[in-house]
Amino acid sequence: MGSLPDHVDVLIVGAGISGVGTAYHLQAEAPGKSYAILESRESMGGTWDLFRYPGIRSDSDMYTLGYSFKPWTGEKSIADGDSIRDYIRETASEHGITDKIHYNRRVRSAEWSSADARWTVEVACVDGGAPLQITCGFLFGCTGYYRYDDGFTPDFEGTERFTDAGGQIVHPQHWPSGLDYSGKRVVVIGSGATAVTLVPSMASGPDSAEHVTMLQRSPSYVLSLPASDPFAKIVRRLLPEKAAYTVIRWKNVLLTTAFFQISRSAPKLVAGAIKRGVRRMAPDDLDVDTHFTPRYDPWDQRVCLVPDEDLFRALRSGEASVVTDDIESFTEAGLKLRSGAELEADVIVTATGLNLLALGGIELVVDGEPVDLPERVGYKGMMLSGVPNAALTLGYTNASWTLKADLVASYICRLLNHMDERGYAICTPVAPAPSEPTEPFIDLKAGYVLRSIDQLPRQGLRSPWRLHQNYARDIVLLRHGSLEDEGIEFARAGERAVPEQVPA
């Protein structure tokens, strides 16, 4: 990492899976553009470097979570966090991206000037030192959509009684190094992807807990997939590496898309099929209706994946159990439940979710006017109305994040090249007509989304203001669709970039 330049054509914020992928696409598809990556943490990898809880792994298959330009060659399609982090680092190293990353640099604010056709970005030095400033022609947010420094924990009554008596409370987002839970009673509060990962991991192995209880207020849909894809093994033996990767990737894309579409069009059918699968995997004495029958339809929230039935193997062995109840309070010995039952615990893990944070909390100002994100409408799921020369990566909620990240990066490269060819310096998305309805930017009903939905931009009901959740459709729109349409305006340097904005 060299010194931070004074100016770059494109400033990427975030050195996770999206930021590294975006850097590759810039180098390959817009090679004349200079760029730098600012990362607020001390290492690359984003989510896959931050989370260190036991069993951390992908909740999507690696043939679609992996980059389109770098085939995933690992044995497992549901991979552990260390392997994913190494894959990101290897990608950065292979393509000369590592030297473009500036660590411990947190972007606080960015102010756009139409007169200069550039952003002035204020950067805090997390590791000490005076704030820095850098200018850029295009600002690219690859920050994800949750807050890295603070996970969500409800206000539970009596937590101090538990900790004062020697108990430990841990949030997965802040897993302490060297936490010893071997031989201890563990309660994991939650039923989502993190909880179903933690429970079997903590319940088995040489350092396993005495017993792990998954305590959930309400159930989630849970599917089991093979950790290693049998189809992938066959195809990789028959075809060259890149061809095999393409075939496997598209097989998984089509299956995932079909599952989502059927879930939305025939939710009872899919819910019944998932429930039958759970009955097959669960212990005979487990009340599936109580513990694995959600109150919502499939894909109203993300469906949880478990590799090789590991959660259900832990339940069948008696190493783990599941309880569905509300928490009344923490006690000196554990938890008192609304039903009157009590759970004894030495360690309680609050796998209770995330806090959303759009654009990493960066404060945006355009020609002297602060940008209020809830008043903005998304353009093609990657830009915001009235915000010139800026994009953000927001992956799919119903498929692998990187599928959309690759498309967004390639589209922005096309856009930058198009602007150079036409002599444009400024591109500004515009909102749809005030008469057109809008809806939340993210269409999931998960708690972490509903808690923060009013802080996020909106989306329209039609293109180009619609955030599609369909990879095949997005390929047509983003790789081959027009770059000039009713949702965007272009200008030359010195011209005012921002048309009149009407709040959504």
Side-chain angles (χ1 to χ4, degrees):
M1 177 185 73
S3 60
L4 189 66
D6 295 327
H7 176 83
V8 290
D9 294 320
V10 180
L11 183 64
I12 300 170
V13 184
I17 197 166
S18 304
V20 170
T22 295
Y24 169 84
H25 285 286
L26 278 172
Q27 292 179 174
E29 299 163 32
K33 298 295 181 183
S34 62
Y35 75 91
I37 304 176
L38 300 184
E39 169 56 53
S40 63
R41 303 178 68 250
E42 61 186 12
S43 55
M44 78 172 76
T47 295
W48 306 108
D49 183 69
L50 173 69
F51 287 104
R52 299 297 180 95
Y53 59 81
I56 172 68
R57 54 172 171 77
S58 63
D59 63 351
S60 302
D61 72 278
M62 287 305 301
Y63 298 104
T64 55
L65 187 62
Y67 297 116
S68 59
F69 55 86
K70 181 176 171 60
W72 171 256
T73 58
E75 178 184 349
K76 292 185 176 181
S77 60
I78 306 297
D80 62 271
D82 287 347
S83 297
I84 301 172
R85 185 176 65 251
D86 290 345
Y87 172 78
I88 297 170
R89 290 177 176 175
E90 183 179 275
T91 302
S93 177
E94 285 179 357
H95 297 286
I97 297 167
T98 305
D99 293 339
K100 299 286 189 176
I101 303 173
H102 301 265
Y103 296 106
N104 294 306
R105 301 292 182 263
R106 182 186 300 278
V107 175
R108 295 295 189 188
S109 63
E111 183 166 354
W112 170 263
S113 166
S114 293
D116 301 320
R118 64 175 51 185
W119 290 96
T120 299
V121 180
E122 299 294 334
V123 183
C125 298
V126 179
D127 54 351
L132 302 172
Q133 192 176 87
I134 181 174
T135 60
C136 63
F138 198 96
L139 183 65
F140 208 137
C142 296
T143 58
Y145 58 41
Y146 66 88
R147 185 171 175 174
Y148 270 51
D149 61 352
D150 185 30
F152 175 73
T153 303
D155 292 325
F156 293 118
E157 181 186 343
T159 54
E160 70 285 348
R161 292 199 293 269
F162 180 69
T163 55
D164 288 348
Q168 291 180 279
I169 302 175
V170 178
H171 193 286
Q173 195 164 324
H174 308 287
W175 197 267
S177 177
L179 175 67
D180 181 14
Y181 54 86
S182 59
K184 295 182 179 180
R185 298 162 298 178
V186 176
V187 174
V188 177
I189 302 173
S191 61
T194 302
V196 301
T197 298
L198 276 165
V199 170
S201 180
M202 298 181 77
S204 60
D207 299 320
S208 62
E210 175 186 314
H211 187 81
V212 181
T213 302
M214 185 169 80
L215 172 61
Q216 57 184 11
R217 182 175 57 184
S218 59
S220 298
Y221 288 102
V222 181
L223 281 175
S224 177
L225 291 178
S228 299
D229 186 343
F231 176 82
K233 290 181 179 179
I234 295 172
V235 172
R236 288 166 74 174
R237 285 199 301 266
L238 298 176
L239 296 176
E241 183 179 273
K242 288 187 177 181
Y245 188 59
T246 300
V247 170
I248 300 164
R249 187 177 173 91
W250 270 105
K251 182 268 291 185
N252 289 349
V253 165
L254 294 174
L255 285 178
T256 301
T257 302
F259 177 55
F260 177 78
Q261 297 293 345
I262 296 172
S263 295
R264 286 294 172 91
S265 61
K268 290 184 179 179
L269 176 69
V270 174
I274 294 174
K275 190 172 181 178
R276 288 191 294 274
V278 170
R279 288 192 188 281
R280 178 185 59 78
M281 296 182 288
D284 292 337
D285 60 352
L286 183 73
D287 185 349
V288 172
D289 289 334
T290 297
H291 301 306
F292 286 95
T293 306
R295 304 166 186 169
Y296 56 88
D297 288 335
W299 275 116
D300 282 349
Q301 299 182 26
R302 283 187 70 97
V303 175
C304 297
L305 298 181
V306 299
D308 296 333
E309 302 182 16
D310 63 356
L311 173 65
F312 297 99
R313 283 190 282 109
L315 295 175
R316 293 195 299 265
S317 71
E319 298 167 336
S321 57
V322 57
V323 173
T324 303
D325 206 337
D326 290 321
I327 296 172
E328 184 172 297
S329 68
F330 280 58
T331 68
E332 291 81 359
L335 294 163
K336 183 177 181 182
L337 307 181
R338 190 65 52 84
S339 65
E342 295 190 17
L343 289 178
E344 294 186 347
D346 304 299
V347 178
I348 296 177
V349 181
T350 54
T352 45
L354 308 166
N355 286 316
L356 294 194
L357 186 65
L359 269 176
I362 301 171
E363 296 179 6
L364 299 178
V365 177
V366 174
D367 288 325
E369 295 293 327
V371 174
D372 187 6
L373 289 181
E375 292 187 352
R376 307 295 166 155
V377 180
Y379 172 74
K380 295 185 177 179
M382 70 180 80
M383 301 175 78
L384 301 176
S385 61
V387 182
N389 290 31
L392 66 144
T393 297
L394 186 68
Y396 293 116
T397 56
N398 65 342
S400 292
W401 180 275
T402 320
L403 289 173
K404 186 62 175 290
D406 271 335
L407 289 178
V408 169
S410 286
Y411 180 89
I412 295 301
C413 290
R414 284 182 63 213
L415 181 64
L416 293 173
N417 293 336
H418 176 78
M419 291 170 65
D420 287 347
E421 291 167 2
R422 301 295 178 90
Y424 298 135
I426 304 169
C427 61
T428 309
V430 297
S435 59
E436 295 195 37
T438 61
E439 61 182 32
F441 204 51
I442 301 176
D443 64 351
L444 289 181
K445 297 178 182 177
Y448 70 91
V449 174
L450 298 178
R451 284 193 301 271
S452 307
I453 199 68
D454 293 338
Q455 303 171 29
L456 301 178
R458 307 282 292 176
Q459 66 169 323
L461 301 187
R462 66 180 180 91
S463 293
W465 297 284
R466 186 71 180 170
L467 176 62
H468 297 294
Q469 298 292 340
N470 187 308
Y471 179 62
R473 181 175 183 175
D474 280 342
I475 285 180
V476 176
L477 291 175
L478 301 184
R479 285 188 182 169
H480 308 290
S482 174
L483 291 163
E484 298 200 25
D485 56 38
E486 61 180 314
I488 194 165
E489 294 189 356
F490 294 89
R492 289 172 170 78
E495 298 177 359
R496 181 163 176 84
V498 188
E500 183 86 16
Q501 285 295 305
V502 179

